[in-house]
Amino acid sequence: MQHHFERLKANKLFELFVISVILVSALLIGAKTYPLPPKVVTATVVLDYLITLFFVVEISIRFIAEANKKLFFKSFWNVFDSLIVLVSLVPIENSELAVIGRLIRVFRVLRMVSIIPELRILLTSLVKALPQLGYVMLLMFIIFYIYAAIGSTLFETINPELWGDIAISMLTLFRVMTFEDWTDVMYETMQVYSLSWIYFLSFIFLSAFAFLNMVIGIVVNVMEQEHAKVRQEDQLAAGTQEPSLRELQQQLDEIKQLLKHKT
């Protein structure tokens, strides 16, 4: 049984069917936000029970297909999927916790990440990039704080609603960074300080261009490392791992030694 379920789990058609059920579950959650006829509501409830039953069967197949059952729960995604399925089994549709039940079912859509390897790599890359991004965010906060202090000092009398204190000034600068009608803010200050455009353009250059490119570079670098790691694991699993640079150097030295002996 374990061998058959392992083959079923690795089957692409089965994987596509699981993805289709997750998509139907997501559409079902969206449909429940609209006013529906009583018959359609009944159909959605029945369909929700069928989807929950399928998820129970699917997670059971994955568990049985695992050769070492202890390793199954060492995977974060397996634990996550199991929790979502178990919580979905709690009958709280007609209770005071019905809203919580619907919110929990929304997280079924995240099972798409655990099923599709490419999405797992993306999410893993983002999580692993957070420590490096933290330093970028810290530097960005320092720049925000400095510019907010300058803006609050210079422009408070022009528009207290935008520059009244340092907290409001930081919100205004966030608006400028996202290009949300930032020219209106700049032209308003230019009526009093004609050179205030230097303040805004320098801030946009630092925040929107420099820091954004730094964030993108860090995430892309981590993603490349994760893709290389996955490729290496696939090669190890297939027994076709490429020789390392040291191994190639050793082989080259052996060839040189053989050539010297022949000559």
Side-chain angles (χ1 to χ4, degrees):
M1 183 180 294
Q2 186 265 336
H3 177 68
H4 289 299
F5 281 171
E6 186 177 0
R7 292 179 58 187
L8 179 61
K9 185 184 72 170
N11 191 294
K12 290 296 181 181
L13 291 178
F14 179 73
E15 183 179 313
L16 289 175
F17 184 71
V18 174
I19 294 173
S20 301
V21 173
I22 295 173
L23 290 175
V24 171
S25 176
L27 294 175
L28 186 64
I29 294 169
K32 289 182 177 180
T33 62
Y34 293 93
L36 301 173
K39 292 183 179 180
V40 178
V41 172
T42 304
T44 57
V45 172
V46 173
L47 187 59
D48 184 73
Y49 281 123
L50 291 176
I51 291 173
T52 302
L53 179 61
F54 172 79
F55 283 152
V56 172
V57 174
E58 186 261 341
I59 201 73
S60 301
I61 290 173
R62 287 167 55 187
F63 179 75
I64 297 173
E66 184 66 45
N68 191 342
K69 301 299 187 290
K70 293 181 180 179
L71 294 178
F72 182 82
F73 292 106
K74 288 186 177 181
S75 171
F76 168 78
W77 294 112
N78 289 337
V79 175
F80 176 80
D81 291 343
S82 301
L83 288 176
I84 293 296
V85 172
L86 289 175
V87 175
S88 299
L89 293 174
V90 179
I92 54 177
E93 284 293 334
N94 298 320
S95 66
E96 296 179 354
L97 300 177
V99 176
I100 298 178
R102 295 192 190 101
L103 290 175
I104 291 172
R105 281 165 172 76
V106 171
F107 287 98
R108 284 175 173 175
V109 183
L110 281 177
R111 294 206 60 205
M112 191 80 70
V113 180
S114 64
I115 296 297
I116 303 177
E118 288 77 10
L119 293 181
R120 289 203 304 268
I121 293 175
L122 286 175
L123 188 59
T124 303
S125 301
L126 288 175
V127 172
K128 289 188 175 181
L130 287 179
Q132 300 179 53
L133 292 177
Y135 293 106
V136 177
M137 294 298 106
L138 178 60
L139 183 57
M140 194 172 182
F141 173 79
I142 293 172
I143 297 298
F144 259 82
Y145 193 86
I146 293 173
Y147 272 83
I150 296 173
S152 181
T153 302
L154 296 178
F155 309 138
E156 180 183 6
T157 56
I158 299 174
N159 191 338
E161 294 183 358
L162 297 179
W163 308 98
D165 54 50
I166 197 167
I168 296 176
S169 298
M170 292 180 73
L171 289 175
T172 303
L173 288 175
F174 185 80
R175 168 184 172 181
V176 172
M177 185 188 70
T178 55
F179 303 108
E180 178 62 30
D181 293 333
W182 72 275
T183 53
D184 296 340
V185 180
M186 182 182 67
Y187 291 144
E188 184 181 40
T189 60
M190 286 179 64
Q191 293 177 0
V192 179
Y193 300 100
S194 59
L195 295 178
S196 62
W197 58 270
I198 299 175
Y199 170 87
F200 290 95
L201 293 184
S202 61
F203 174 77
I204 288 175
F205 175 80
L206 289 173
S207 61
F209 298 148
F211 286 109
L212 180 61
N213 288 330
M214 289 173 65
V215 170
I216 294 173
I218 290 172
V219 174
V220 170
N221 184 40
V222 175
M223 286 181 60
E224 289 178 353
Q225 294 176 2
E226 286 299 311
H227 279 290
K229 182 179 178 181
V230 170
R231 285 195 298 268
Q232 186 177 8
E233 290 176 353
D234 293 340
Q235 291 170 0
L236 285 172
T240 58
Q241 185 181 13
E242 296 180 358
S244 62
L245 183 61
R246 181 177 296 179
E247 292 174 348
L248 291 174
Q249 187 65 39
Q250 291 176 353
Q251 293 175 5
L252 184 60
D253 292 339
E254 292 176 359
I255 293 174
K256 289 181 179 179
Q257 292 295 331
L258 290 174
L259 291 174
K260 286 182 181 179
H261 288 304
K262 288 184 178 180
T263 55

